Amino acid sequence: TANAPIIGCDHNGMVNEWNNKVVEITGYSKEEVMGKSLVDVYISEDFRESVKSVFDDAFNFKFTANFEFPIFTKDQQRVEVMMNATTRCNVKGEAIGVLGVG
């Protein structure tokens, strides 16, 4: 198990990876978040555009390091996380999503 938060999203921004560290930080279980929009549901409104932009860049093979943004916890607390966003590829090297690792 990783000691860093790992969040994955598909090409539509829907959560498809949510490791135990993110569960610990946010209080949301993997089952609660899978298939939901990371940006629209878990990111504060004032950061939605910047987070979406970083994830869009990562989907287009543009890596972003040390990107800090707030994420909402289950009890509606705002927690700052820092992540590196990178492209998630299939075996053919085609972009299939984004992986954020803290």
Side-chain angles (χ1 to χ4, degrees), residues 2-3 6 23 33 44 47 50 52 67-68 71 75 77 89 102:
N3 286 326
I6 300 172
V23 172
V33 301
S44 63
F47 274 80
S50 61
K52 185 178 182 327
F67 179 65
E68 190 171 357
I71 190 166
D75 61 0
Q77 298 299 310
C89 299

Side-chain angles (χ1 to χ4, degrees), residues 66-80:
N66 300 324
F67 179 65
E68 190 171 357
F69 62 94
I71 190 166
F72 284 119
T73 64
K74 194 169 186 173
D75 61 0
Q76 294 304 301
Q77 298 299 310
R78 188 172 145 152
V79 176
E80 298 290 326

Side-chain angles (χ1 to χ4, degrees), residues 22-39:
V22 185
V23 172
E24 181 184 315
I25 291 168
T26 66
Y28 287 108
S29 70
K30 188 172 186 172
E31 294 75 23
E32 290 175 290
V33 301
M34 295 298 279
K36 293 185 180 168
S37 170
L38 175 69
V39 171

Side-chain angles (χ1 to χ4, degrees), residues 43-88:
I43 305 300
S44 63
E45 191 171 344
D46 53 331
F47 274 80
R48 287 182 184 153
E49 282 302 313
S50 61
V51 172
K52 185 178 182 327
S53 177
V54 166
F55 274 59
D56 287 348
D57 284 349
F59 187 73
N60 290 298
F61 298 93
K62 296 178 188 169
F63 175 80
T64 301
N66 300 324
F67 179 65
E68 190 171 357
F69 62 94
I71 190 166
F72 284 119
T73 64
K74 194 169 186 173
D75 61 0
Q76 294 304 301
Q77 298 299 310
R78 188 172 145 152
V79 176
E80 298 290 326
V81 294
M82 184 177 294
M83 296 196 138
N84 298 320
T86 190
T87 312
R88 192 176 206 179

